[in-house]
Amino acid sequence: MFPQRLDAPQAYDIAQAMMDGVNRHYQRFRAATQAAKGYFEQADWAAQQRAQRERMAFYDQRVQECVQHLTQTFAADTQPMAVWQQVKLHYIGLMVGHLQPELAETFFNSVTTKILHRTHFHNDFIFVRPVVSTEYLDVPGAPAFRAFYPGSLDALVPTLHSVMGHFALHAKFENLGRDVTLLAARIRQRLQGLTLRANLQIQVLSSLFFRNKGAYVVGKIITGYTEIALAIPILHTSDGRGLVLHAVLFDEEDLHGLFSFARAYFMVDMAVPSAYVEFLHHLMPRKPRGEIYSALGLAKQGKTMFYRDLLHHLRHSTDKFRIAPGIQGLVMLVFDLPSFPYVFKLIKDQFPAPKETTRQEVQAKYRLVKQHDRVGRMADTMEYSLVALPLERFAPELLQALQTQAGKHVEISDRDGDGQLEVIIDHLYIERRLLPLNMFLKECMDAGLEHAAPRAALERAVLEYGNAIKDLVAANIFPGDMLWKNFGVTRGGKVVFYDYDEIEYLSDCNFRAVPQPRNEQEEMSSKIWWRVGPKDVFPETMEPFLLAHPAVRDVFMRYHADLLTPDFWKAHQARIAQGHVHDVFPYERSRRLLPDVVH
């Protein structure tokens, strides 16, 4: 209950200043996403990547600016709680009619927790639940999505021309007529067996989705009660002749690949982000809304949604946090809640040999991954500070591990004074839970490789493992520790890397062959007798650690033997040095309309 209204005119001014702050942030955010269209049209990939990295810093910059302004102008950090209660009421009034109210609530939370020095779990004045509905928000005259009505399949080609014309790209297509004809044929094929109803239509979100070297039309096909997800990648040809419709993606699984948590964020111009999130969530109902917000570049909103999901789950479950299954690492302590599909990672206080790194360096590696193109092969990570979780939900073994291995950064406290003890972790990384690749391979072996299914699963996993490394290499990333345990398998069978404490830019590494022994003593030595620099990598030394099992070795050597040679790595270093940005497509080759026009 709020107390009786006070005569606090500064409360409204504080609320208005905070609203000005979030509006300034979203204006900058939209300006960056609008610029992405020009970068794509000009094929200026360096500018695109730079804008992507810079946009990630916008939110924290605006929050800090707002905190400084409120502190200096209104002495906000000294205002009594009664004033802050009035600030929140005024702020709620300012959100009426706002087109991004959910972002405004999150911005309010970020600013108040910094000023009042309270965590998200212990602040009576934040928006724990949304108070303003985002349903049916839209801009008059500029709807979030457009509908196109072919009437019949015979009119698909002109309808698709209209769809492409809607986006007004200022770059010529190599042969749009050819591409639209191929696209229409694929759509007809997908609609085979369905009865076409009077409501046959193609709905597309009004803005293109830009990422790396591609632009994507995202929407759906509707006929009767059937709705089919649709995405159309637009790329530049490798020889510079113009744009092409490169592929067509249908259905939820294809869109999950496109919007994967292991890929970089999109640049997309949205006046009403909640309208885009709801449209996409309808296409991908299994994907949490928080992950969709993050995929659209609104990572802070994604974190807010995740936090709400976590609180909701804790209220409706009783299982305990435990040490995550698998081989424990030397740097990170990892735990999970069996009923919740995420893992929680914190940096240990000390790292035993052979690890030679620091806490600051590990944090820098995670920032590197956050800002880099993850090419579908590196799991996105949410970073939180001062996370409080109920003590009663921790298994004794996990609690002991936290206190002995990370005790400097873990506290048990009754911060609210209500007798409810909580485990407070000062710095936490949270990722989607994956099945560790070493455990997946063991499951295949335990099922019996004489059987076709487990042998095929093992072969696919080893093939995927090598492909994951090669995709990372294409993005100028060297994983560092390439052991199976540092990779995970997604529900769809994709192999993703998730251990970042030894990650390096490929261009910074020195790949060498193991020198030939100069005498019998060196040849018989069980220890490394040659000089090794801090950035030296000897690919052939990976073989004993990776290929001990004959079945694994057989598959690896058939598909990825080149990973054990310095020449492979050096060739990619040379390509990167020449400024070539390699294409890593977020869809299978079978989805392509024109397989040979883009390399």
Side-chain angles (χ1 to χ4, degrees):
M1 294 287 293
F2 287 115
Q4 185 177 358
R5 185 176 180 88
L6 300 176
D7 183 15
Q10 69 270 38
Y12 178 83
D13 294 336
I14 291 171
Q16 184 63 63
M18 295 173 77
M19 185 59 71
D20 292 343
V22 72
N23 290 340
R24 190 177 305 113
H25 161 63
Y26 202 65
Q27 287 166 4
R28 291 285 306 276
F29 182 90
R30 284 197 71 185
T33 58
Q34 288 164 353
K37 182 172 183 284
Y39 299 143
F40 173 76
E41 291 166 341
Q42 299 156 24
D44 190 347
W45 312 130
Q48 183 85 293
Q49 291 175 343
R50 183 172 59 251
Q52 180 86 327
R53 289 192 299 270
E54 290 174 351
R55 190 183 67 168
M56 291 182 184
F58 284 178
Y59 186 84
D60 289 338
Q61 291 170 356
R62 300 292 86 73
V63 167
Q64 193 56 44
E65 287 174 4
C66 190
V67 169
Q68 186 174 356
H69 172 60
L70 294 179
T71 302
Q72 293 176 351
T73 306
F74 304 104
D77 54 333
T78 66
Q79 296 292 340
M81 292 301 101
V83 170
W84 277 103
Q85 289 168 333
Q86 297 303 314
V87 169
K88 184 175 181 181
L89 287 175
H90 285 303
Y91 197 81
I92 291 171
L94 292 172
M95 285 195 293
V96 175
H98 201 279
L99 294 178
Q100 305 93 33
E102 76 279 27
L103 306 189
E105 291 176 351
T106 294
F107 191 84
F108 183 95
N109 290 352
S110 297
V111 172
T112 56
T113 51
K114 285 187 177 297
I115 292 176
L116 301 178
H117 306 293
R118 298 184 176 198
T119 71
H120 283 288
F121 288 80
H122 298 89
N123 191 327
D124 296 331
F125 309 114
I126 67 169
F127 294 97
V128 177
R129 293 180 298 277
V131 300
V132 177
S133 173
T134 58
E135 290 184 326
Y136 306 113
L137 274 180
D138 223 332
V139 179
F145 66 89
R146 290 279 308 276
F148 298 83
Y149 303 92
S152 70
L153 293 183
D154 294 336
L156 263 181
V157 168
T159 300
L160 291 171
H161 272 285
S162 298
V163 170
M164 295 305 154
H166 162 71
F167 297 105
L169 283 166
H170 297 297
K172 69 179 182 67
F173 279 83
E174 181 195 35
N175 188 339
L176 184 58
R178 173 201 63 194
D179 297 354
V180 164
T181 300
L182 293 171
L183 176 60
R186 288 285 184 94
I187 292 175
R188 290 190 192 98
Q189 184 180 3
R190 177 63 183 83
L191 293 174
Q192 271 187 348
L194 295 175
T195 301
L196 301 184
R197 302 296 184 183
N199 67 334
L200 176 64
Q201 60 188 278
I202 299 173
Q203 293 182 0
V204 295
L205 286 163
S206 295
S207 295
L208 289 168
F209 288 60
F210 298 97
R211 185 173 64 197
N212 300 334
K213 296 165 69 175
Y216 299 83
V217 178
V218 179
K220 58 185 175 182
I221 304 168
I222 300 174
T223 177
Y225 297 112
T226 301
E227 298 188 1
I228 301 168
L230 173 71
I232 307 164
I234 306 172
L235 303 179
H236 286 261
T237 61
S238 53
D239 56 11
R241 291 199 305 266
L243 302 177
V244 294
L245 306 184
H246 189 238
V248 58
L249 312 182
F250 296 118
D251 303 314
E252 183 180 356
E253 287 304 318
D254 280 355
L255 258 68
H256 271 282
L258 185 61
F259 287 85
S260 167
F261 62 85
R263 296 197 179 276
Y265 306 140
F266 282 105
M267 305 277 275
V268 52
D269 182 31
M270 306 169 289
V272 183
S274 60
Y276 276 66
V277 170
E278 284 307 308
F279 189 99
L280 292 168
H281 185 67
H282 187 76
L283 302 181
M284 300 176 286
R286 288 186 291 106
K287 181 171 283 293
R289 287 176 175 83
E291 285 190 11
I292 299 175
Y293 272 106
S294 293
L296 298 177
L298 296 165
K300 186 65 178 181
Q301 189 62 28
K303 287 174 60 176
T304 295
M305 301 291 283
F306 173 85
Y307 159 69
R308 290 170 176 165
D309 288 344
L310 175 60
L311 289 185
H312 180 80
H313 185 85
L314 288 173
R315 287 194 297 268
H316 295 83
S317 62
T318 58
D319 55 335
K320 293 182 181 294
F321 290 104
R322 61 175 183 176
I323 297 173
I327 300 172
Q328 287 295 303
L330 300 178
V331 172
M332 307 294 284
L333 176 57
V334 185
F335 64 95
D336 70 354
L337 190 67
S339 61
F340 197 59
Y342 293 85
V343 295
F344 303 78
K345 304 167 69 171
L346 67 159
I347 303 172
K348 295 181 179 180
D349 292 341
Q350 295 180 324
F351 315 135
K355 292 292 184 181
E356 296 180 357
T357 187
T358 66
R359 183 180 185 86
Q360 292 71 28
E361 288 172 341
V362 173
Q363 291 173 331
K365 303 289 188 183
Y366 275 80
R367 285 194 297 272
L368 182 158
V369 172
K370 195 74 174 175
Q371 297 171 356
H372 200 78
D373 178 14
R374 296 190 297 279
V375 294
R377 298 297 188 175
M378 292 190 287
D380 191 16
T381 301
M382 293 176 287
E383 189 173 355
Y384 288 85
S385 298
L386 295 175
V387 176
L389 299 168
L391 174 64
E392 64 182 16
R393 298 297 294 271
F394 281 76
E397 298 82 5
L398 171 59
L399 193 60
Q400 182 180 13
L402 288 169
Q403 293 172 320
T404 57
Q405 300 177 37
K408 294 180 181 178
H409 303 280
V410 175
E411 175 189 358
I412 297 176
S413 175
D414 175 12
R415 297 186 112 192
D416 286 346
D418 58 2
Q420 300 297 315
L421 290 175
E422 293 172 301
V423 177
I424 302 165
I425 302 170
D426 70 0
H427 195 248
L428 193 63
Y429 297 100
I430 302 176
E431 297 172 359
R432 266 281 183 176
R433 182 168 57 211
L434 303 173
L435 177 62
L437 182 54
N438 62 307
M439 295 176 64
F440 182 88
L441 295 176
K442 185 177 184 303
E443 287 180 1
C444 294
M445 296 170 191
D446 290 345
L449 296 182
E450 68 276 11
H451 303 298
R455 189 171 188 88
L458 180 141
E459 179 160 346
R460 173 180 165 79
V462 175
L463 175 62
E464 265 287 290
Y465 165 80
N467 289 340
I469 293 173
K470 289 176 177 177
D471 285 346
L472 292 173
V473 166
N476 194 25
I477 290 293
F478 175 62
D481 190 344
M482 301 203 313
L483 294 177
W484 305 104
K485 71 181 182 67
N486 297 325
F487 293 76
V489 183
T490 70
R491 190 181 66 87
K494 193 102 170 163
V495 169
V496 172
F497 183 58
Y498 53 59
D499 192 327
Y500 304 142
D501 56 89
E502 291 191 20
I503 204 168
E504 297 282 355
Y505 286 117
L506 185 76
S507 51
D508 291 342
C509 299
N510 180 31
F511 294 94
R512 297 173 53 190
V514 173
Q516 291 296 317
R518 295 166 296 185
N519 52 52
E520 185 177 354
Q521 182 180 4
E522 290 180 348
E523 185 174 4
M524 301 301 294
S525 174
S526 60
K527 298 181 180 179
I528 293 177
W529 49 264
W530 60 88
R531 183 179 179 84
V532 179
K535 298 287 187 179
D536 285 353
V537 180
F538 299 86
E540 61 196 278
T541 63
M542 303 171 192
E543 183 175 350
F545 301 99
L546 298 177
L547 308 181
H549 194 282
V552 171
R553 177 183 176 81
D554 174 62
V555 178
F556 185 93
M557 296 305 290
R558 269 191 283 137
Y559 296 110
H560 299 303
D562 50 352
L563 291 175
L564 302 178
T565 67
D567 290 345
F568 167 84
W569 304 89
K570 289 180 178 180
H572 281 278
Q573 283 181 318
R575 174 188 58 77
I576 291 165
Q578 294 167 4
H580 180 69
V581 179
H582 196 66
D583 295 300
V584 179
F585 301 114
Y587 41 87
E588 300 292 333
R589 178 174 289 271
S590 62
R591 306 301 192 266
R592 300 185 193 181
L593 300 173
L594 298 159
D596 301 321
V597 298
V598 179
H599 300 308

XYZ file of all heavy atoms in Angstrom, residues 169-216:
389
model
N 14.095 -1.512 -50.976
C 15.555 -1.594 -50.904
C 16.184 -0.779 -52.029
O 15.800 -0.900 -53.195
C 16.004 -3.057 -51.003
C 15.843 -3.894 -49.734
C 15.993 -5.375 -50.047
C 16.832 -3.459 -48.658
N 17.162 0.049 -51.688
C 17.853 0.882 -52.669
C 19.116 0.170 -53.144
O 20.232 0.685 -53.044
C 18.183 2.243 -52.071
C 16.970 3.021 -51.685
N 16.022 3.435 -52.596
C 16.534 3.452 -50.478
C 15.057 4.096 -51.973
N 15.343 4.116 -50.686
N 18.920 -1.019 -53.635
C 19.991 -1.812 -54.241
C 19.309 -2.737 -55.230
O 18.263 -3.312 -54.937
C 20.757 -2.604 -53.179
N 19.891 -2.872 -56.397
C 19.223 -3.634 -57.451
C 19.338 -5.137 -57.195
O 20.314 -5.617 -56.612
C 19.817 -3.286 -58.819
C 21.237 -3.770 -59.053
C 21.713 -3.382 -60.437
C 23.123 -3.889 -60.713
N 23.208 -5.357 -60.790
N 18.311 -5.858 -57.618
C 18.350 -7.315 -57.600
C 19.029 -7.796 -58.876
O 18.879 -7.188 -59.944
C 16.943 -7.895 -57.506
C 16.377 -7.901 -56.109
C 15.778 -6.769 -55.580
C 16.442 -9.047 -55.326
C 15.255 -6.766 -54.302
C 15.918 -9.057 -54.044
C 15.326 -7.917 -53.529
N 19.741 -8.882 -58.760
C 20.353 -9.469 -59.948
C 19.272 -9.911 -60.937
O 19.326 -9.603 -62.119
C 21.222 -10.673 -59.560
C 21.916 -11.325 -60.743
C 22.468 -12.695 -60.402
O 21.837 -13.409 -59.602
O 23.507 -13.052 -60.953
N 18.255 -10.610 -60.438
C 17.166 -11.074 -61.293
C 15.971 -11.416 -60.399
O 15.732 -12.577 -60.063
C 17.597 -12.301 -62.103
C 16.566 -12.693 -63.148
O 15.397 -12.339 -63.039
N 17.001 -13.427 -64.154
N 15.231 -10.397 -59.994
C 14.138 -10.601 -59.054
C 13.041 -11.473 -59.654
O 12.429 -12.291 -58.955
C 13.558 -9.253 -58.617
C 12.459 -9.318 -57.556
C 12.954 -10.008 -56.285
C 11.948 -7.920 -57.221
N 12.797 -11.354 -60.947
C 11.782 -12.188 -61.582
C 12.095 -13.664 -61.444
O 11.214 -14.475 -61.135
N 13.341 -14.015 -61.690
C 13.756 -15.421 -61.538
C 13.573 -15.880 -60.096
O 13.022 -16.961 -59.828
C 15.225 -15.541 -61.938
C 15.867 -16.911 -61.671
C 17.385 -16.784 -61.596
N 17.794 -15.930 -60.473
C 19.023 -15.429 -60.326
N 19.950 -15.672 -61.233
N 19.304 -14.678 -59.280
N 14.025 -15.049 -59.141
C 13.983 -15.447 -57.735
C 12.554 -15.609 -57.238
O 12.234 -16.560 -56.515
C 14.700 -14.402 -56.876
C 16.181 -14.288 -57.208
O 16.659 -15.101 -58.013
O 16.839 -13.385 -56.666
N 11.673 -14.689 -57.623
C 10.286 -14.748 -57.176
C 9.598 -15.976 -57.762
O 8.778 -16.631 -57.101
C 9.553 -13.446 -57.549
C 8.052 -13.625 -57.458
C 9.997 -12.315 -56.632
N 9.926 -16.318 -58.989
C 9.356 -17.517 -59.609
C 9.783 -18.769 -58.843
O 8.961 -19.663 -58.574
C 9.788 -17.611 -61.080
O 9.329 -16.460 -61.786
C 9.225 -18.863 -61.729
N 11.077 -18.847 -58.467
C 11.564 -19.981 -57.679
C 10.918 -20.017 -56.301
O 10.537 -21.079 -55.804
C 13.089 -19.901 -57.537
C 13.909 -20.098 -58.814
C 15.376 -19.766 -58.564
C 13.765 -21.539 -59.315
N 10.762 -18.850 -55.704
C 10.143 -18.758 -54.389
C 8.681 -19.204 -54.445
O 8.213 -19.964 -53.583
C 10.248 -17.320 -53.870
C 9.565 -16.994 -52.540
C 10.133 -17.853 -51.420
C 9.737 -15.510 -52.218
N 7.962 -18.756 -55.459
C 6.558 -19.142 -55.603
C 6.426 -20.649 -55.764
O 5.490 -21.264 -55.218
C 5.941 -18.413 -56.802
N 7.355 -21.257 -56.506
C 7.308 -22.708 -56.699
C 7.488 -23.436 -55.366
O 6.800 -24.438 -55.101
C 8.393 -23.129 -57.696
N 8.397 -22.938 -54.519
C 8.601 -23.570 -53.208
C 7.362 -23.412 -52.329
O 6.995 -24.335 -51.585
C 9.814 -22.948 -52.518
C 11.154 -23.326 -53.110
C 11.558 -24.757 -52.749
N 12.890 -25.036 -53.260
C 14.018 -24.889 -52.567
N 13.953 -24.487 -51.301
N 15.172 -25.151 -53.121
N 6.738 -22.265 -52.402
C 5.534 -22.051 -51.590
C 4.412 -22.966 -52.053
O 3.695 -23.571 -51.238
C 5.116 -20.569 -51.642
C 6.151 -19.701 -50.921
C 3.735 -20.375 -51.020
C 5.889 -18.221 -51.027
N 4.256 -23.091 -53.363
C 3.227 -24.015 -53.871
C 3.498 -25.432 -53.385
O 2.583 -26.163 -52.995
C 3.210 -23.984 -55.404
C 2.665 -22.698 -56.004
C 2.452 -22.862 -57.504
N 2.201 -21.585 -58.140
C 3.132 -20.855 -58.768
N 4.366 -21.323 -58.860
N 2.811 -19.685 -59.294
N 4.756 -25.819 -53.413
C 5.128 -27.158 -52.960
C 4.780 -27.348 -51.484
O 4.271 -28.403 -51.075
C 6.629 -27.367 -53.184
C 7.131 -28.760 -52.840
C 8.630 -28.887 -53.094
O 9.302 -27.931 -53.464
N 9.149 -30.081 -52.910
N 5.051 -26.311 -50.673
C 4.765 -26.405 -49.239
C 3.253 -26.477 -48.981
O 2.802 -27.101 -48.006
C 5.378 -25.199 -48.512
C 5.079 -25.137 -47.019
C 5.676 -26.335 -46.292
N 5.333 -26.336 -44.876
C 4.203 -26.797 -44.366
N 3.264 -27.304 -45.175
N 3.991 -26.766 -43.077
N 2.459 -25.849 -49.837
C 1.009 -25.808 -49.644
C 0.300 -27.022 -50.235
O -0.925 -27.136 -50.104
C 0.433 -24.529 -50.259
C 0.829 -23.211 -49.577
C 0.304 -22.027 -50.369
C 0.322 -23.169 -48.144
N 1.050 -27.904 -50.880
C 0.426 -29.094 -51.470
C -0.319 -29.890 -50.411
O 0.168 -30.110 -49.306
C 1.495 -29.981 -52.120
C 1.763 -29.637 -53.561
C 2.710 -30.650 -54.207
O 3.328 -31.462 -53.537
N 2.812 -30.596 -55.520
N -1.521 -30.321 -50.743
C -2.325 -31.116 -49.826
C -3.214 -30.286 -48.931
O -4.074 -30.832 -48.229
N -3.000 -28.961 -48.910
C -3.852 -28.089 -48.106
C -4.959 -27.502 -48.958
O -4.753 -27.186 -50.138
C -3.020 -26.947 -47.498
C -1.951 -27.340 -46.473
C -1.140 -26.106 -46.084
C -2.594 -27.975 -45.239
N -6.125 -27.345 -48.380
C -7.220 -26.672 -49.075
C -7.035 -25.163 -48.942
O -6.905 -24.643 -47.831
C -8.569 -27.084 -48.470
O -8.711 -28.509 -48.587
C -9.714 -26.392 -49.185
N -7.000 -24.477 -50.070
C -6.812 -23.033 -50.039
C -8.149 -22.358 -49.772
O -9.122 -22.565 -50.490
C -6.212 -22.550 -51.354
C -4.851 -23.162 -51.712
C -4.311 -22.534 -52.972
C -3.864 -23.017 -50.568
N -8.173 -21.539 -48.735
C -9.394 -20.887 -48.304
C -9.427 -19.438 -48.773
O -8.445 -18.886 -49.276
C -9.505 -20.939 -46.777
C -9.480 -22.344 -46.197
C -10.686 -23.167 -46.643
N -10.714 -24.495 -46.007
C -11.610 -25.418 -46.257
N -12.577 -25.173 -47.142
N -11.560 -26.600 -45.652
N -10.556 -18.816 -48.544
C -10.748 -17.441 -48.997
C -9.818 -16.467 -48.277
O -9.539 -15.373 -48.777
C -12.197 -17.015 -48.782
N -9.338 -16.873 -47.099
C -8.466 -15.961 -46.347
C -6.990 -16.142 -46.691
O -6.112 -15.674 -45.954
C -8.658 -16.167 -44.841
C -8.158 -17.533 -44.368
O -8.122 -18.491 -45.148
N -7.778 -17.634 -43.104
N -6.665 -16.818 -47.791
C -5.273 -17.039 -48.192
C -4.523 -15.699 -48.201
O -4.929 -14.755 -48.876
C -5.212 -17.685 -49.578
C -3.812 -17.884 -50.163
C -2.993 -18.858 -49.313
C -3.901 -18.359 -51.612
N -3.438 -15.649 -47.443
C -2.687 -14.396 -47.360
C -1.258 -14.656 -46.916
O -0.933 -15.706 -46.349
C -3.358 -13.437 -46.380
C -3.457 -13.970 -44.967
C -4.282 -13.096 -44.057
O -3.782 -12.106 -43.522
N -5.562 -13.463 -43.876
N -0.411 -13.678 -47.183
C 0.965 -13.672 -46.691
C 1.112 -12.441 -45.801
O 0.928 -11.309 -46.262
C 1.982 -13.627 -47.841
C 1.828 -14.860 -48.746
C 3.409 -13.543 -47.296
C 2.691 -14.801 -49.992
N 1.388 -12.657 -44.533
C 1.639 -11.559 -43.610
C 3.143 -11.442 -43.373
O 3.805 -12.459 -43.125
C 0.935 -11.795 -42.269
C -0.577 -11.752 -42.345
C -1.222 -11.948 -40.976
O -0.552 -12.110 -39.962
N -2.559 -11.937 -40.954
N 3.679 -10.240 -43.451
C 5.109 -10.037 -43.190
C 5.271 -8.858 -42.237
O 4.542 -7.860 -42.307
C 5.904 -9.779 -44.489
C 5.880 -11.006 -45.390
C 5.396 -8.557 -45.226
N 6.212 -8.989 -41.314
C 6.558 -7.872 -40.447
C 7.083 -6.730 -41.301
O 7.771 -6.948 -42.308
C 7.582 -8.308 -39.408
C 6.989 -9.185 -38.290
C 8.077 -9.925 -37.528
C 6.138 -8.352 -37.335
N 6.771 -5.506 -40.908
C 6.962 -4.349 -41.791
C 8.414 -3.963 -42.005
O 8.724 -3.247 -42.958
C 6.201 -3.139 -41.233
O 4.813 -3.388 -41.264
N 9.317 -4.397 -41.140
C 10.735 -4.060 -41.293
C 11.532 -5.318 -41.579
O 11.203 -6.410 -41.099
C 11.272 -3.397 -40.022
O 10.643 -2.158 -39.791
N 12.592 -5.153 -42.344
C 13.528 -6.252 -42.581
C 14.376 -6.500 -41.336
O 14.623 -5.592 -40.537
C 14.439 -5.922 -43.758
C 13.794 -5.929 -45.149
C 14.732 -5.314 -46.179
C 13.418 -7.354 -45.567
N 14.851 -7.726 -41.208
C 15.730 -8.123 -40.108
C 17.149 -8.217 -40.673
O 17.417 -9.058 -41.542
C 15.306 -9.478 -39.544
C 14.025 -9.445 -38.761
C 12.827 -9.036 -39.343
C 14.009 -9.831 -37.427
C 11.646 -9.013 -38.622
C 12.823 -9.815 -36.698
C 11.648 -9.401 -37.292
N 18.055 -7.395 -40.160
C 19.417 -7.366 -40.673
C 20.366 -8.029 -39.677
O 20.305 -7.768 -38.476
C 19.874 -5.929 -40.926
C 19.058 -5.213 -41.964
C 18.022 -4.369 -41.591
C 19.319 -5.394 -43.317
C 17.257 -3.715 -42.546
C 18.554 -4.745 -44.281
C 17.524 -3.907 -43.885
N 21.243 -8.879 -40.207
C 22.278 -9.501 -39.380
C 23.411 -9.953 -40.286
O 23.168 -10.577 -41.321
C 21.721 -10.701 -38.606
C 22.736 -11.305 -37.629
C 22.102 -12.378 -36.773
N 21.652 -13.522 -37.560
C 20.796 -14.434 -37.119
N 20.268 -14.319 -35.912
N 20.440 -15.446 -37.886
N 24.627 -9.610 -39.897
C 25.799 -9.957 -40.697
C 25.626 -9.473 -42.132
O 25.377 -8.305 -42.366
C 26.074 -11.463 -40.627
C 26.344 -11.919 -39.204
O 26.796 -11.139 -38.372
N 26.046 -13.169 -38.917
N 25.658 -10.367 -43.108
C 25.572 -9.971 -44.514
C 24.197 -10.233 -45.111
O 24.034 -10.193 -46.328
C 26.650 -10.721 -45.316
C 28.063 -10.354 -44.889
C 29.103 -11.328 -45.400
C 29.301 -11.259 -46.876
N 30.406 -12.136 -47.333
N 23.201 -10.471 -44.260
C 21.877 -10.816 -44.772
C 20.784 -9.884 -44.286
O 20.907 -9.219 -43.260
N 19.715 -9.835 -45.064
C 18.466 -9.179 -44.669
C 17.368 -10.229 -44.796
O 17.375 -11.017 -45.759
C 18.168 -7.980 -45.563
N 16.438 -10.246 -43.863
C 15.439 -11.312 -43.822
C 14.033 -10.735 -43.792
O 13.721 -9.868 -42.964
C 15.646 -12.198 -42.583
C 16.977 -12.892 -42.552
C 18.109 -12.238 -42.079
C 17.118 -14.199 -43.022
C 19.342 -12.871 -42.063
C 18.345 -14.840 -43.006
C 19.460 -14.164 -42.524
O 20.677 -14.796 -42.519
